[in-house]
PDB file of all heavy atoms in Angstrom:
ATOM      1  N   SER D   1     -10.608  -5.977  -3.387  1.00 97.00           N
ATOM      2  CA  SER D   1     -10.655  -5.305  -2.029  1.00 97.00           C
ATOM      3  C   SER D   1      -9.751  -4.173  -2.004  1.00 97.00           C
ATOM      4  O   SER D   1      -8.547  -4.319  -2.318  1.00 97.00           O
ATOM      5  CB  SER D   1     -10.316  -6.366  -0.963  1.00 97.00           C
ATOM      6  OG  SER D   1     -11.178  -7.375  -0.887  1.00 97.00           O
ATOM      7  N   LEU D   2     -10.215  -3.021  -1.564  1.00 96.00           N
ATOM      8  CA  LEU D   2      -9.395  -1.878  -1.441  1.00 96.00           C
ATOM      9  C   LEU D   2      -8.739  -1.774  -0.084  1.00 96.00           C
ATOM     10  O   LEU D   2      -9.323  -2.214   0.924  1.00 96.00           O
ATOM     11  CB  LEU D   2     -10.152  -0.526  -1.699  1.00 96.00           C
ATOM     12  CG  LEU D   2     -10.836  -0.425  -3.000  1.00 96.00           C
ATOM     13  CD1 LEU D   2     -11.725   0.811  -3.019  1.00 96.00           C
ATOM     14  CD2 LEU D   2      -9.849  -0.492  -4.144  1.00 96.00           C
ATOM     15  N   CYS D   3      -7.445  -1.390   0.037  1.00 95.00           N
ATOM     16  CA  CYS D   3      -6.669  -1.384   1.329  1.00 95.00           C
ATOM     17  C   CYS D   3      -6.604   0.082   1.800  1.00 95.00           C
ATOM     18  O   CYS D   3      -6.560   0.965   0.978  1.00 95.00           O
ATOM     19  CB  CYS D   3      -5.302  -1.959   1.093  1.00 95.00           C
ATOM     20  SG  CYS D   3      -5.328  -3.621   0.371  1.00 95.00           S
ATOM     21  N   GLU D   4      -6.429   0.219   3.038  1.00 90.00           N
ATOM     22  CA  GLU D   4      -6.328   1.566   3.587  1.00 90.00           C
ATOM     23  C   GLU D   4      -5.106   2.299   3.206  1.00 90.00           C
ATOM     24  O   GLU D   4      -5.081   3.541   3.138  1.00 90.00           O
ATOM     25  CB  GLU D   4      -6.382   1.499   5.163  1.00 90.00           C
ATOM     26  CG  GLU D   4      -7.762   1.126   5.693  1.00 90.00           C
ATOM     27  CD  GLU D   4      -7.758   1.076   7.161  1.00 90.00           C
ATOM     28  OE1 GLU D   4      -6.772   1.572   7.814  1.00 90.00           O
ATOM     29  OE2 GLU D   4      -8.643   0.500   7.741  1.00 90.00           O
ATOM     30  N   ASP D   5      -4.036   1.535   2.822  1.00 88.00           N
ATOM     31  CA  ASP D   5      -2.776   2.166   2.384  1.00 88.00           C
ATOM     32  C   ASP D   5      -2.846   2.661   0.901  1.00 88.00           C
ATOM     33  O   ASP D   5      -1.753   3.129   0.401  1.00 88.00           O
ATOM     34  CB  ASP D   5      -1.592   1.250   2.616  1.00 88.00           C
ATOM     35  CG  ASP D   5      -1.674   0.015   1.719  1.00 88.00           C
ATOM     36  OD1 ASP D   5      -2.595  -0.185   0.892  1.00 88.00           O
ATOM     37  OD2 ASP D   5      -0.734  -0.775   1.786  1.00 88.00           O
ATOM     38  N   GLY D   6      -3.971   2.593   0.285  1.00 87.00           N
ATOM     39  CA  GLY D   6      -4.051   3.079  -1.145  1.00 87.00           C
ATOM     40  C   GLY D   6      -3.853   1.952  -2.152  1.00 87.00           C
ATOM     41  O   GLY D   6      -3.878   2.203  -3.391  1.00 87.00           O
ATOM     42  N   GLY D   7      -3.624   0.736  -1.715  1.00 94.00           N
ATOM     43  CA  GLY D   7      -3.435  -0.325  -2.645  1.00 94.00           C
ATOM     44  C   GLY D   7      -4.731  -1.113  -2.816  1.00 94.00           C
ATOM     45  O   GLY D   7      -5.745  -0.758  -2.334  1.00 94.00           O
ATOM     46  N   ALA D   8      -4.655  -2.323  -3.457  1.00 97.00           N
ATOM     47  CA  ALA D   8      -5.768  -3.118  -3.628  1.00 97.00           C
ATOM     48  C   ALA D   8      -5.305  -4.630  -3.739  1.00 97.00           C
ATOM     49  O   ALA D   8      -4.108  -4.893  -4.113  1.00 97.00           O
ATOM     50  CB  ALA D   8      -6.450  -2.726  -4.948  1.00 97.00           C
ATOM     51  N   VAL D   9      -6.241  -5.547  -3.408  1.00 98.00           N
ATOM     52  CA  VAL D   9      -5.995  -6.950  -3.561  1.00 98.00           C
ATOM     53  C   VAL D   9      -7.095  -7.476  -4.375  1.00 98.00           C
ATOM     54  O   VAL D   9      -8.303  -7.265  -4.165  1.00 98.00           O
ATOM     55  CB  VAL D   9      -5.977  -7.585  -2.121  1.00 98.00           C
ATOM     56  CG1 VAL D   9      -5.805  -9.091  -2.330  1.00 98.00           C
ATOM     57  CG2 VAL D   9      -4.936  -7.055  -1.188  1.00 98.00           C
ATOM     58  N   LEU D  10      -6.707  -8.253  -5.450  1.00 98.00           N
ATOM     59  CA  LEU D  10      -7.626  -8.931  -6.372  1.00 98.00           C
ATOM     60  C   LEU D  10      -7.585 -10.474  -5.885  1.00 98.00           C
ATOM     61  O   LEU D  10      -6.547 -11.051  -5.995  1.00 98.00           O
ATOM     62  CB  LEU D  10      -7.264  -8.739  -7.766  1.00 98.00           C
ATOM     63  CG  LEU D  10      -8.253  -9.347  -8.732  1.00 98.00           C
ATOM     64  CD1 LEU D  10      -9.559  -8.542  -8.728  1.00 98.00           C
ATOM     65  CD2 LEU D  10      -7.679  -9.353 -10.185  1.00 98.00           C
ATOM     66  N   ASP D  11      -8.682 -10.909  -5.378  1.00 98.00           N
ATOM     67  CA  ASP D  11      -8.788 -12.316  -5.015  1.00 98.00           C
ATOM     68  C   ASP D  11      -9.206 -13.130  -6.160  1.00 98.00           C
ATOM     69  O   ASP D  11     -10.292 -13.088  -6.752  1.00 98.00           O
ATOM     70  CB  ASP D  11      -9.777 -12.508  -3.898  1.00 98.00           C
ATOM     71  CG  ASP D  11      -9.933 -13.961  -3.430  1.00 98.00           C
ATOM     72  OD1 ASP D  11      -9.606 -14.899  -4.182  1.00 98.00           O
ATOM     73  OD2 ASP D  11     -10.324 -14.177  -2.230  1.00 98.00           O
ATOM     74  N   VAL D  12      -8.221 -13.853  -6.746  1.00 98.00           N
ATOM     75  CA  VAL D  12      -8.448 -14.645  -7.979  1.00 98.00           C
ATOM     76  C   VAL D  12      -8.484 -16.178  -7.524  1.00 98.00           C
ATOM     77  O   VAL D  12      -7.438 -16.786  -7.389  1.00 98.00           O
ATOM     78  CB  VAL D  12      -7.377 -14.448  -9.045  1.00 98.00           C
ATOM     79  CG1 VAL D  12      -7.581 -15.233 -10.321  1.00 98.00           C
ATOM     80  CG2 VAL D  12      -7.192 -12.929  -9.381  1.00 98.00           C
ATOM     81  N   GLY D  13      -9.721 -16.629  -7.331  1.00 96.00           N
ATOM     82  CA  GLY D  13      -9.839 -18.069  -6.851  1.00 96.00           C
ATOM     83  C   GLY D  13      -9.113 -18.375  -5.571  1.00 96.00           C
ATOM     84  O   GLY D  13      -8.579 -19.438  -5.509  1.00 96.00           O
ATOM     85  N   GLY D  14      -9.131 -17.479  -4.649  1.00 95.00           N
ATOM     86  CA  GLY D  14      -8.347 -17.709  -3.362  1.00 95.00           C
ATOM     87  C   GLY D  14      -6.910 -17.309  -3.356  1.00 95.00           C
ATOM     88  O   GLY D  14      -6.326 -17.303  -2.344  1.00 95.00           O
ATOM     89  N   ALA D  15      -6.438 -16.843  -4.471  1.00 96.00           N
ATOM     90  CA  ALA D  15      -4.959 -16.424  -4.561  1.00 96.00           C
ATOM     91  C   ALA D  15      -4.997 -14.890  -4.623  1.00 96.00           C
ATOM     92  O   ALA D  15      -5.534 -14.209  -5.498  1.00 96.00           O
ATOM     93  CB  ALA D  15      -4.326 -16.901  -5.876  1.00 96.00           C
ATOM     94  N   PRO D  16      -4.452 -14.249  -3.614  1.00 97.00           N
ATOM     95  CA  PRO D  16      -4.467 -12.747  -3.545  1.00 97.00           C
ATOM     96  C   PRO D  16      -3.373 -12.185  -4.432  1.00 97.00           C
ATOM     97  O   PRO D  16      -2.217 -12.625  -4.461  1.00 97.00           O
ATOM     98  CB  PRO D  16      -4.110 -12.425  -2.105  1.00 97.00           C
ATOM     99  CG  PRO D  16      -3.345 -13.596  -1.581  1.00 97.00           C
ATOM    100  CD  PRO D  16      -3.842 -14.852  -2.312  1.00 97.00           C
ATOM    101  N   VAL D  17      -3.770 -11.213  -5.273  1.00 97.00           N
ATOM    102  CA  VAL D  17      -2.829 -10.556  -6.142  1.00 97.00           C
ATOM    103  C   VAL D  17      -2.805  -9.068  -5.779  1.00 97.00           C
ATOM    104  O   VAL D  17      -3.853  -8.380  -5.808  1.00 97.00           O
ATOM    105  CB  VAL D  17      -3.201 -10.689  -7.712  1.00 97.00           C
ATOM    106  CG1 VAL D  17      -2.181  -9.986  -8.564  1.00 97.00           C
ATOM    107  CG2 VAL D  17      -3.384 -12.190  -8.035  1.00 97.00           C
ATOM    108  N   LEU D  18      -1.644  -8.581  -5.357  1.00 96.00           N
ATOM    109  CA  LEU D  18      -1.564  -7.202  -4.848  1.00 96.00           C
ATOM    110  C   LEU D  18      -1.311  -6.262  -5.986  1.00 96.00           C
ATOM    111  O   LEU D  18      -0.587  -6.498  -6.892  1.00 96.00           O
ATOM    112  CB  LEU D  18      -0.363  -7.063  -3.888  1.00 96.00           C
ATOM    113  CG  LEU D  18      -0.422  -8.105  -2.688  1.00 96.00           C
ATOM    114  CD1 LEU D  18       0.827  -7.905  -1.870  1.00 96.00           C
ATOM    115  CD2 LEU D  18      -1.644  -7.863  -1.874  1.00 96.00           C
ATOM    116  N   PHE D  19      -1.935  -5.033  -5.867  1.00 96.00           N
ATOM    117  CA  PHE D  19      -1.911  -4.003  -6.832  1.00 96.00           C
ATOM    118  C   PHE D  19      -1.691  -2.657  -6.180  1.00 96.00           C
ATOM    119  O   PHE D  19      -2.252  -2.452  -5.071  1.00 96.00           O
ATOM    120  CB  PHE D  19      -3.130  -3.900  -7.788  1.00 96.00           C
ATOM    121  CG  PHE D  19      -3.266  -4.976  -8.722  1.00 96.00           C
ATOM    122  CD1 PHE D  19      -3.922  -6.092  -8.414  1.00 96.00           C
ATOM    123  CD2 PHE D  19      -2.695  -4.971 -10.031  1.00 96.00           C
ATOM    124  CE1 PHE D  19      -4.124  -7.170  -9.359  1.00 96.00           C
ATOM    125  CE2 PHE D  19      -2.874  -5.880 -10.937  1.00 96.00           C
ATOM    126  CZ  PHE D  19      -3.578  -7.057 -10.591  1.00 96.00           C
ATOM    127  N   ASP D  20      -1.032  -1.718  -6.810  1.00 95.00           N
ATOM    128  CA  ASP D  20      -1.110  -0.328  -6.482  1.00 95.00           C
ATOM    129  C   ASP D  20      -2.192   0.302  -7.343  1.00 95.00           C
ATOM    130  O   ASP D  20      -2.485  -0.299  -8.531  1.00 95.00           O
ATOM    131  CB  ASP D  20       0.250   0.350  -6.798  1.00 95.00           C
ATOM    132  CG  ASP D  20       1.272  -0.035  -5.743  1.00 95.00           C
ATOM    133  OD1 ASP D  20       0.930  -0.253  -4.610  1.00 95.00           O
ATOM    134  OD2 ASP D  20       2.470  -0.151  -6.162  1.00 95.00           O
ATOM    135  N   LEU D  21      -2.775   1.443  -6.943  1.00 95.00           N
ATOM    136  CA  LEU D  21      -3.767   2.043  -7.715  1.00 95.00           C
ATOM    137  C   LEU D  21      -3.155   3.274  -8.395  1.00 95.00           C
ATOM    138  O   LEU D  21      -2.582   4.131  -7.699  1.00 95.00           O
ATOM    139  CB  LEU D  21      -4.939   2.532  -6.726  1.00 95.00           C
ATOM    140  CG  LEU D  21      -5.657   1.298  -6.089  1.00 95.00           C
ATOM    141  CD1 LEU D  21      -6.666   1.887  -5.098  1.00 95.00           C
ATOM    142  CD2 LEU D  21      -6.292   0.453  -7.127  1.00 95.00           C
ATOM    143  N   ALA D  22      -3.433   3.450  -9.670  1.00 94.00           N
ATOM    144  CA  ALA D  22      -2.847   4.622 -10.382  1.00 94.00           C
ATOM    145  C   ALA D  22      -3.715   5.869  -9.943  1.00 94.00           C
ATOM    146  O   ALA D  22      -3.101   6.964  -9.998  1.00 94.00           O
ATOM    147  CB  ALA D  22      -2.974   4.404 -11.866  1.00 94.00           C
ATOM    148  N   ASP D  23      -4.985   5.673  -9.673  1.00 92.00           N
ATOM    149  CA  ASP D  23      -5.757   6.811  -9.241  1.00 92.00           C
ATOM    150  C   ASP D  23      -6.944   6.164  -8.445  1.00 92.00           C
ATOM    151  O   ASP D  23      -7.119   4.967  -8.484  1.00 92.00           O
ATOM    152  CB  ASP D  23      -6.306   7.533 -10.390  1.00 92.00           C
ATOM    153  CG  ASP D  23      -6.914   6.721 -11.535  1.00 92.00           C
ATOM    154  OD1 ASP D  23      -7.438   5.668 -11.191  1.00 92.00           O
ATOM    155  OD2 ASP D  23      -6.640   7.088 -12.675  1.00 92.00           O
ATOM    156  N   PRO D  24      -7.638   6.943  -7.669  1.00 89.00           N
ATOM    157  CA  PRO D  24      -8.759   6.400  -6.830  1.00 89.00           C
ATOM    158  C   PRO D  24      -9.770   5.768  -7.741  1.00 89.00           C
ATOM    159  O   PRO D  24     -10.210   6.381  -8.699  1.00 89.00           O
ATOM    160  CB  PRO D  24      -9.264   7.639  -6.115  1.00 89.00           C
ATOM    161  CG  PRO D  24      -8.171   8.687  -6.150  1.00 89.00           C
ATOM    162  CD  PRO D  24      -7.510   8.384  -7.405  1.00 89.00           C
ATOM    163  N   PRO D  25     -10.237   4.546  -7.281  1.00 91.00           N
ATOM    164  CA  PRO D  25     -11.289   3.909  -8.073  1.00 91.00           C
ATOM    165  C   PRO D  25     -12.617   4.576  -7.840  1.00 91.00           C
ATOM    166  O   PRO D  25     -12.794   5.302  -6.735  1.00 91.00           O
ATOM    167  CB  PRO D  25     -11.203   2.435  -7.646  1.00 91.00           C
ATOM    168  CG  PRO D  25     -10.625   2.600  -6.239  1.00 91.00           C
ATOM    169  CD  PRO D  25      -9.757   3.709  -6.235  1.00 91.00           C
ATOM    170  N   PRO D  26     -13.632   4.230  -8.615  1.00 92.00           N
ATOM    171  CA  PRO D  26     -14.971   4.888  -8.391  1.00 92.00           C
ATOM    172  C   PRO D  26     -15.587   4.286  -7.095  1.00 92.00           C
ATOM    173  O   PRO D  26     -15.185   3.301  -6.656  1.00 92.00           O
ATOM    174  CB  PRO D  26     -15.763   4.453  -9.604  1.00 92.00           C
ATOM    175  CG  PRO D  26     -14.949   3.349 -10.256  1.00 92.00           C
ATOM    176  CD  PRO D  26     -13.551   3.444  -9.797  1.00 92.00           C
ATOM    177  N   GLU D  27     -16.559   5.077  -6.612  1.00 93.00           N
ATOM    178  CA  GLU D  27     -17.302   4.578  -5.394  1.00 93.00           C
ATOM    179  C   GLU D  27     -17.949   3.214  -5.675  1.00 93.00           C
ATOM    180  O   GLU D  27     -18.347   2.951  -6.762  1.00 93.00           O
ATOM    181  CB  GLU D  27     -18.496   5.595  -5.026  1.00 93.00           C
ATOM    182  CG  GLU D  27     -17.930   6.935  -4.690  1.00 93.00           C
ATOM    183  CD  GLU D  27     -17.575   6.951  -3.142  1.00 93.00           C
ATOM    184  OE1 GLU D  27     -18.245   6.261  -2.342  1.00 93.00           O
ATOM    185  OE2 GLU D  27     -16.648   7.702  -2.836  1.00 93.00           O
ATOM    186  N   GLY D  28     -17.983   2.395  -4.669  1.00 93.00           N
ATOM    187  CA  GLY D  28     -18.699   1.173  -4.717  1.00 93.00           C
ATOM    188  C   GLY D  28     -17.883   0.011  -5.352  1.00 93.00           C
ATOM    189  O   GLY D  28     -18.436  -1.158  -5.452  1.00 93.00           O
ATOM    190  N   VAL D  29     -16.663   0.219  -5.695  1.00 96.00           N
ATOM    191  CA  VAL D  29     -15.887  -0.815  -6.383  1.00 96.00           C
ATOM    192  C   VAL D  29     -15.356  -1.841  -5.344  1.00 96.00           C
ATOM    193  O   VAL D  29     -15.083  -2.978  -5.681  1.00 96.00           O
ATOM    194  CB  VAL D  29     -14.790  -0.256  -7.266  1.00 96.00           C
ATOM    195  CG1 VAL D  29     -13.649   0.252  -6.456  1.00 96.00           C
ATOM    196  CG2 VAL D  29     -14.304  -1.222  -8.240  1.00 96.00           C
ATOM    197  N   ASP D  30     -15.218  -1.396  -4.197  1.00 96.00           N
ATOM    198  CA  ASP D  30     -14.652  -2.321  -3.065  1.00 96.00           C
ATOM    199  C   ASP D  30     -15.520  -3.485  -2.832  1.00 96.00           C
ATOM    200  O   ASP D  30     -16.784  -3.298  -2.681  1.00 96.00           O
ATOM    201  CB  ASP D  30     -14.505  -1.591  -1.736  1.00 96.00           C
ATOM    202  CG  ASP D  30     -13.740  -2.255  -0.726  1.00 96.00           C
ATOM    203  OD1 ASP D  30     -12.881  -3.103  -1.077  1.00 96.00           O
ATOM    204  OD2 ASP D  30     -13.982  -2.111   0.463  1.00 96.00           O
ATOM    205  N   GLY D  31     -15.076  -4.685  -3.029  1.00 97.00           N
ATOM    206  CA  GLY D  31     -15.796  -5.914  -2.858  1.00 97.00           C
ATOM    207  C   GLY D  31     -16.511  -6.386  -4.111  1.00 97.00           C
ATOM    208  O   GLY D  31     -17.211  -7.488  -4.091  1.00 97.00           O
ATOM    209  N   SER D  32     -16.334  -5.752  -5.197  1.00 97.00           N
ATOM    210  CA  SER D  32     -17.002  -6.072  -6.436  1.00 97.00           C
ATOM    211  C   SER D  32     -16.157  -6.915  -7.306  1.00 97.00           C
ATOM    212  O   SER D  32     -14.860  -7.037  -7.186  1.00 97.00           O
ATOM    213  CB  SER D  32     -17.400  -4.809  -7.286  1.00 97.00           C
ATOM    214  OG  SER D  32     -16.326  -4.157  -7.718  1.00 97.00           O
ATOM    215  N   TRP D  33     -16.747  -7.609  -8.299  1.00 98.00           N
ATOM    216  CA  TRP D  33     -16.057  -8.428  -9.235  1.00 98.00           C
ATOM    217  C   TRP D  33     -15.441  -7.552 -10.392  1.00 98.00           C
ATOM    218  O   TRP D  33     -16.142  -6.653 -10.930  1.00 98.00           O
ATOM    219  CB  TRP D  33     -16.898  -9.474  -9.897  1.00 98.00           C
ATOM    220  CG  TRP D  33     -17.266 -10.612  -8.877  1.00 98.00           C
ATOM    221  CD1 TRP D  33     -18.274 -10.612  -8.046  1.00 98.00           C
ATOM    222  CD2 TRP D  33     -16.473 -11.788  -8.608  1.00 98.00           C
ATOM    223  NE1 TRP D  33     -18.182 -11.781  -7.253  1.00 98.00           N
ATOM    224  CE2 TRP D  33     -17.136 -12.489  -7.565  1.00 98.00           C
ATOM    225  CE3 TRP D  33     -15.294 -12.223  -9.174  1.00 98.00           C
ATOM    226  CZ2 TRP D  33     -16.559 -13.616  -7.069  1.00 98.00           C
ATOM    227  CZ3 TRP D  33     -14.741 -13.462  -8.663  1.00 98.00           C
ATOM    228  CH2 TRP D  33     -15.456 -14.115  -7.657  1.00 98.00           C
ATOM    229  N   VAL D  34     -14.120  -7.781 -10.665  1.00 98.00           N
ATOM    230  CA  VAL D  34     -13.430  -6.860 -11.524  1.00 98.00           C
ATOM    231  C   VAL D  34     -12.480  -7.670 -12.423  1.00 98.00           C
ATOM    232  O   VAL D  34     -11.965  -8.797 -12.029  1.00 98.00           O
ATOM    233  CB  VAL D  34     -12.474  -5.947 -10.626  1.00 98.00           C
ATOM    234  CG1 VAL D  34     -11.515  -5.132 -11.515  1.00 98.00           C
ATOM    235  CG2 VAL D  34     -13.350  -5.014  -9.782  1.00 98.00           C
ATOM    236  N   GLU D  35     -12.260  -7.226 -13.670  1.00 98.00           N
ATOM    237  CA  GLU D  35     -11.262  -7.783 -14.520  1.00 98.00           C
ATOM    238  C   GLU D  35     -10.152  -6.799 -14.680  1.00 98.00           C
ATOM    239  O   GLU D  35     -10.335  -5.614 -14.824  1.00 98.00           O
ATOM    240  CB  GLU D  35     -11.800  -8.052 -15.881  1.00 98.00           C
ATOM    241  CG  GLU D  35     -12.791  -9.250 -15.924  1.00 98.00           C
ATOM    242  CD  GLU D  35     -13.213  -9.640 -17.340  1.00 98.00           C
ATOM    243  OE1 GLU D  35     -12.669  -9.069 -18.304  1.00 98.00           O
ATOM    244  OE2 GLU D  35     -14.000 -10.637 -17.417  1.00 98.00           O
ATOM    245  N   VAL D  36      -8.915  -7.282 -14.488  1.00 98.00           N
ATOM    246  CA  VAL D  36      -7.700  -6.466 -14.642  1.00 98.00           C
ATOM    247  C   VAL D  36      -6.898  -7.031 -15.793  1.00 98.00           C
ATOM    248  O   VAL D  36      -6.635  -8.301 -15.858  1.00 98.00           O
ATOM    249  CB  VAL D  36      -6.862  -6.373 -13.392  1.00 98.00           C
ATOM    250  CG1 VAL D  36      -5.584  -5.619 -13.590  1.00 98.00           C
ATOM    251  CG2 VAL D  36      -7.668  -5.858 -12.173  1.00 98.00           C
TER     252      VAL D  36
END
């Protein structure tokens, strides 16, 4: 999930993991399944 402040949250089995973004992610990534 992308945040308005430019960060992101990865929901890993109900556990939120907060991230900063090095650069803007591509369109359509918000709400998608991702591996980090």
Side-chain angles (χ1 to χ4, degrees):
S1 297
L2 301 178
C3 304
E4 289 182 17
D5 67 359
V9 177
L10 186 67
D11 181 335
V12 182
V17 183
L18 305 176
F19 286 93
D20 288 325
L21 299 172
D23 47 37
E27 292 278 327
V29 74
D30 190 30
S32 67
W33 287 92
V34 171
E35 288 189 2
V36 177

